[in-house]
Amino acid sequence: MTRVSGRTLAYAVVWPCLFLAACTPKVQVEAPKEPITINLNVKLDAEVRVKLEEQADRDIQSNPDIF
């Protein structure tokens, strides 16, 4: 049998293991701590409602017998 030196053993076994361990990807997926809130239509809704109410007031004043 052939005797293997410690340095050869290190190159043959330890270094490939270290390289494989270094290439292992680590992915973490975490949920947010606070809930996600999306508030997009608040201003648009309020603006449309105000315009409709103003138009309704003008229509009622111009036609008091409508109702």
Side-chain angles (χ1 to χ4, degrees):
M1 269 199 177
T2 318
R3 184 175 172 151
V4 178
S5 70
R7 181 174 280 177
T8 306
L9 183 63
Y11 286 134
V13 176
V14 176
W15 287 110
C17 290
L18 290 175
F19 285 128
L20 287 175
C23 293
T24 304
K26 183 177 180 182
V27 177
Q28 291 181 333
V29 178
E30 296 180 9
K33 294 179 182 177
E34 297 179 8
I36 299 172
T37 55
I38 300 173
N39 206 355
L40 297 176
N41 295 324
V42 173
K43 184 177 181 203
L44 179 64
D45 181 43
E47 184 178 341
V48 169
R49 183 173 292 165
V50 167
K51 286 183 180 180
L52 287 174
E53 287 177 0
E54 289 173 354
Q55 182 64 37
D57 287 339
R58 279 187 253 130
D59 289 340
I60 290 173
Q61 288 175 359
S62 64
N63 298 318
D65 299 341
I66 199 167
F67 291 110

